[in-house]
Amino acid sequence: DMSNNGSVNPNIQSETDTDMSNNGSVNPNIQSETDTDMSNNGSVNDDDGGDGDDDREDGNPNILSEKMPENAANVDEIESLIAQQMMKLSVEDREKVYCDVHGVKEGEKETEEMIQTGLDSLQREIEKLQDREAYDLAYTKDPKYLERRSFRLAFLRSDSFDARKAAIRLVRHFQVKLDLFGEEKLVMDIVQDDLDRDTMDALYTGTDQILDATDSAGRYIISIVFGAPWTTRAYLQRSFYNNTTTLRNPQKHNQGCIIVIYSLANPSQQGDMSKHYTFTKLAECLADRIEALHLCHDSPKGQALLTVGKAAASPSIKIRIRTHFGTNDQIMSSLAGFGIEPGTIPVGQGCRITNLETYQKHLIEMRAVERLKEPKRQKIHVPSKADVLFGKGAPFQSHLGNIQLRSLVSERYKAYAKAATKGQKMQITKEIVQTVQQNSGLFLRPDGGSWVCVEEEAARQKVSALFRSLRIRIGDT
């Protein structure tokens, strides 16, 4: 919502407290890193003087279970605490943060010695952690999955080769993976077939995207519109899945990323506030090196919700948060000052997703690739358009995969009718089943609220039944 007269307050700027002076030095008023932590009374506390979340003993692996502090939405209090702690950074550190946030930095220069030393240190730090139940469970299932060089390196890069922080992040990663997807998926890359109905619906709205475009420093961009009526679990599963897709591209982790979040939720709804708090905490469990976090809103009502995000953010992210308030055009113009070209973020007026059709097509293509490369899931929640569904009635027969199967049967009918032996007919039905599978399709039957894959013979029998039905329909005796 806009203010009462429908205009935007022209005096509210983005990042008014950070700028470079004419001589290229850093303004001493730049807000810098805070060491905020959670005190026993559930409020944000800045008295520990350490590294915030990562100074907790062994790093709490169940970080998503933390309750939102009572003062998390108190704009003045949170901003005051952040400002006090940010001033503790050295001028050198402030300037580094400034360059990171504004996209005027070079990519991290890594050497093989640096990488190997980091990986060795990471293993030692993991072994020091006491509470790593989910990690150990995953290791007993498939040690090679956890020991992949590119996988571990992504977590090191997320914490700029701080081995202790990377170890805590990695352990948290497996804990949240266990909580969200269960033990069965612990040592498998999460794919769309692992997502439940709510998460798939949320994913295909395009309100959480990893963009193809980059900022001026070559960093990948994550665009999020927060406030749609999805469950907390849907938000978390969706972001975890998106992070899995970035793990397939090591170069992305070498460059780091920036996140742009638009707020739509009504902050008067406590559920939305706590949801946003938990969602922000997820960043501490994923392999993303966040170098800038831009919080955008077009209404003063959205400020409280974004403040909750600031309260939840880890110290390393807090120092890189910048807020933007105004119309969509004003926000895009403001983001341009941080190396994000206008038109890069696919969000239009009213937070409409401007590339939705293209993005959904991309997701469909990605799902097809996942099915060809990853182990087949025996049980899924949401069939794809390429799947063939077992069942009677219009909902089954009108499914695109079933329509395409009937078309394949029609195309091969003459050859099937001319086949002289039972073996020749069986071969044709097998070839049709293979065609469906090569196009990433599965043969599924309903199983409660989910779907399970049928055996190859059951799929072949369905094709044979379609040939018989077609023969009867056309009166071919």
Side-chain angles (χ1 to χ4, degrees):
D1 191 14
M2 304 298 289
S3 59
N4 292 336
N5 61 5
S7 62
V8 177
N9 185 342
N11 296 315
I12 300 181
Q13 304 291 330
S14 77
E15 200 193 7
T16 56
D17 58 343
T18 56
D19 200 359
M20 299 295 286
S21 60
N22 293 334
N23 62 6
S25 63
V26 178
N27 185 325
N29 293 320
I30 290 178
Q31 292 186 348
S32 303
E33 182 164 9
T34 176
D35 301 315
T36 58
D37 200 355
M38 309 302 294
S39 63
N40 293 333
N41 64 4
S43 63
V44 176
N45 178 23
D46 67 335
D47 294 332
D48 72 346
D51 291 331
D53 297 331
D54 289 329
D55 264 350
R56 300 173 193 158
E57 183 179 357
D58 290 341
N60 176 19
N62 296 297
I63 193 169
L64 298 187
S65 64
E66 291 184 1
K67 293 184 179 180
M68 184 180 74
E70 295 177 359
N71 66 339
N74 188 313
V75 176
D76 293 337
E77 188 170 347
I78 297 300
E79 293 295 339
S80 175
L81 289 173
I82 291 175
Q84 291 173 25
Q85 295 301 316
M86 283 181 171
M87 291 302 296
K88 296 180 180 180
L89 277 190
S90 67
V91 172
E92 181 181 356
D93 287 339
R94 293 181 193 176
E95 188 159 0
K96 182 182 184 304
V97 170
Y98 180 93
C99 292
D100 286 349
V101 171
H102 286 78
V104 289
K105 65 182 288 292
E106 296 181 359
E108 300 292 335
K109 293 181 173 60
E110 299 174 356
T111 65
E112 181 57 33
E113 181 181 2
M114 172 185 176
I115 291 173
Q116 190 56 53
T117 299
L119 291 171
D120 292 342
S121 298
L122 175 62
Q123 180 58 36
R124 289 194 295 271
E125 292 297 334
I126 292 173
E127 292 171 358
K128 292 178 184 178
L129 298 177
Q130 298 299 314
D131 193 353
R132 56 173 200 243
E133 182 178 349
Y135 176 90
D136 289 343
L137 177 60
Y139 197 87
T140 60
K141 287 179 169 293
D142 187 356
K144 290 183 179 180
Y145 184 84
L146 279 70
E147 293 171 351
R148 292 171 296 161
R149 176 185 170 97
S150 61
F151 178 72
R152 292 193 165 212
L153 187 54
F155 285 86
L156 276 172
R157 287 169 171 164
S158 296
D159 286 298
S160 300
F161 281 79
D162 185 317
R164 178 173 179 272
K165 290 183 178 180
I168 293 172
R169 183 185 295 271
L170 185 56
V171 168
R172 286 173 173 169
H173 177 86
F174 280 99
Q175 183 61 57
V176 74
K177 189 175 186 180
L178 178 63
D179 293 342
L180 290 176
F181 300 100
E183 184 177 335
E184 179 186 355
K185 306 292 170 44
L186 202 52
V187 289
M188 302 173 72
D189 285 350
I190 300 303
V191 297
Q192 290 183 45
D193 281 347
D194 297 322
L195 307 180
D196 61 28
R197 168 63 71 180
D198 284 346
T199 305
M200 285 291 282
D201 288 344
L203 179 67
Y204 276 75
T205 62
T207 51
D208 186 342
Q209 298 187 32
I210 299 172
L211 307 181
D212 290 332
T214 61
D215 74 340
S216 59
R219 301 171 295 188
Y220 68 95
I221 302 172
I222 301 175
S223 172
I224 299 172
V225 176
F226 193 89
W230 310 118
T231 63
T232 300
R233 185 180 183 83
Y235 272 110
L236 298 176
Q237 278 199 348
R238 180 179 66 176
S239 288
F240 196 102
Y241 166 74
N242 281 339
N243 183 248
T244 300
T245 67
T246 67
L247 286 169
R248 301 168 187 161
N249 188 340
Q251 184 60 30
K252 284 189 173 183
H253 286 274
N254 191 27
Q255 296 295 331
C257 75
I258 61 175
I259 300 178
V260 179
I261 297 181
Y262 280 75
S263 170
L264 275 181
N266 182 349
S268 65
Q269 297 178 6
Q270 186 67 19
D272 286 333
M273 303 287 268
S274 59
K275 185 190 304 180
H276 192 41
Y277 185 86
T278 302
F279 174 73
T280 304
K281 281 293 181 185
L282 181 65
E284 299 178 50
C285 312
L286 304 180
D288 283 322
R289 189 173 77 236
I290 301 172
E291 299 199 334
L293 173 57
H294 299 280
L295 305 179
C296 311
H297 61 105
D298 62 0
S299 165
K301 292 182 179 180
Q303 187 177 15
L305 186 71
L306 297 180
T307 299
V308 169
K310 292 182 180 181
S314 68
S316 62
I317 297 177
K318 276 187 174 76
I319 60 177
R320 291 170 168 81
I321 293 177
R322 299 296 180 266
T323 58
H324 308 265
F325 170 66
T327 65
N328 190 69
D329 288 342
Q330 288 173 323
I331 289 173
M332 294 298 178
S333 178
S334 179
L335 290 172
F338 297 84
I340 305 171
E341 290 297 320
T344 300
I345 307 300
V347 180
Q349 297 295 338
C351 288
R352 179 180 61 87
I353 305 303
T354 58
N355 69 338
L356 184 57
E357 184 176 349
T358 300
Y359 182 67
Q360 290 178 340
K361 181 179 179 182
H362 165 72
L363 288 175
I364 292 171
E365 293 172 349
M366 185 182 299
R367 190 178 190 185
V369 172
E370 290 172 351
R371 285 188 170 183
L372 295 176
K373 290 186 176 182
E374 300 294 330
K376 184 173 74 172
R377 276 34 176 182
Q378 293 302 316
K379 187 173 185 177
I380 66 174
H381 298 282
V382 183
S384 79
K385 292 183 178 180
D387 294 336
V388 174
L389 308 183
F390 279 56
K392 297 181 179 180
F396 296 93
Q397 301 310 312
S398 60
H399 185 74
L400 182 59
N402 292 61
I403 295 173
Q404 292 173 335
L405 176 61
R406 292 197 296 272
S407 177
L408 288 173
V409 169
S410 295
E411 291 173 4
R412 301 294 301 274
Y413 178 74
K414 288 184 178 180
Y416 185 85
K418 291 180 180 179
T421 66
K422 183 177 180 180
Q424 291 174 336
K425 291 181 183 292
M426 182 179 294
Q427 181 60 32
I428 293 174
T429 59
K430 286 182 178 179
E431 290 173 358
I432 291 177
V433 169
Q434 292 172 355
T435 298
V436 172
Q437 294 170 337
Q438 289 168 359
N439 290 323
S440 77
L442 303 175
F443 288 80
L444 303 172
R445 63 173 176 80
D447 181 44
S450 302
W451 299 81
V452 295
C453 293
V454 303
E455 299 292 335
E456 291 287 318
E457 178 59 20
R460 195 192 66 76
Q461 288 290 348
K462 182 172 182 63
V463 175
S464 296
L466 288 174
F467 273 121
R468 292 194 296 271
S469 296
L470 180 58
R471 183 184 63 192
I472 294 172
R473 189 165 63 250
I474 64 178
D476 188 354
T477 59

